[in-house]
Amino acid sequence: MALPDTPSLAATISRWVNNHRQPNEFYRVLLSRAIDRPRWELFGDEAALILRVAEASSGVASEASVTSDEDVNRRQLLAHAAALGTAAPVKRLTPPSPAAQIGGKPATGGTEREIIAAIRRAL
Amino acid sequence: MLSGTAGRELGIDALRRRVSGAWRLRQRSRYVELGGLLPGLLTDTQLASRELAGDDQAHALTVTAHAYNTTSSVLRRLGDNELALIAADRAVQTARSVDDPLLLAASAYRLANVFLPTGRLVEAKEVALSAAAGLDGRQDASGSHLAIWGSLLLTAALAAARQGEASEAWELLGEGKTAARRLGAEHADLHTIFGPISLAISGVQMAAELGTDTTCSGGPSGLTQCGCRRTWSSAARTS
């Protein structure tokens, strides 16, 4: 994967942190991997999507109206609970962990164990 | 001429090339190739450190410390923190033997970053701050010095954040920001990678680590107004 140049990445992060513009799909994958945090935790709109899925399946949608800090807190709590409790949406929204790669192919657990064993012998 | 595994030449230049190659593979997350390369590299650098003399031995020890650092980084990534700790500790011991403050700081940085994900926050912060203090007065000796100093401060800041010490965390991040500004752009070499982007990512990560703590004044603008995960998510919701 070709990485963006430094000014581009810095500008994207700055706009994100300062609430000017949200990262696009490409940067979301990149940032999620760089920070090692799930996307729903980094990008509130994705947490909201999980929440909507949870609401739709549980019938609580009509009760949710964001008018106060408490409501925001509640929605966030629900979103987190939904993310923890509903594996399917989380699985779909969270990018794969940055697994060990070779030529774009992930290393398997067995390969990782072999690498560790070889290093252990040399240490 | 000394020869190592698979009849490889054990000259300093050759070992340096191999260590640089390993570092590049690490940066590209090419773990399978690294797995084939690191064991031989470790064996050869250790052999060279024992067999060479004088300046060559000092150079061999430096290369060995870098090899340990790369190994520690790979092992941490592969999830073997116990072995990563051994490799990081050996890097620190090797760096001490050559009396190179920059190499020692880089090895301490790696050690602190093994402690950090395993929850050994006190050790992570102490090692990072102690190593940063070891560079006092030498931060501007080179870009590498400034970068490793900044990296150590960010590591200490993250450890403080995970301890829930918001004020200290933001203060340390602020010091790191000074280093990043002075560098102006990302600095990447065998010792570390550090610059404005690393700092921005750490700032974001810290805000997430601090969760609902509302005392994070001094953090990145936009996150400090409320300084909490709620603000963080609220900000992101405007997309």
Side-chain angles (χ1 to χ4, degrees), chain A residues 65-96:
Chain A
S65 74
V66 182
T67 57
S68 68
D69 284 351
E70 287 72 23
D71 281 330
V72 175
N73 280 336
R74 188 174 65 82
R75 287 176 66 86
Q76 280 304 118
L77 182 64
L78 283 169
H80 284 230
L84 289 170
T86 56
V90 173
K91 208 166 188 176
R92 195 166 57 245
L93 292 169
T94 306

Side-chain angles (χ1 to χ4, degrees), chain B residues 10 15 19 40-50 60 63-64 67:
Chain B
L10 289 192
L15 288 174
V19 164
L41 179 60
L42 286 169
T43 302
D44 288 349
T45 55
Q46 289 163 354
L47 179 63
S49 297
R50 283 196 305 270
V63 172
T64 303

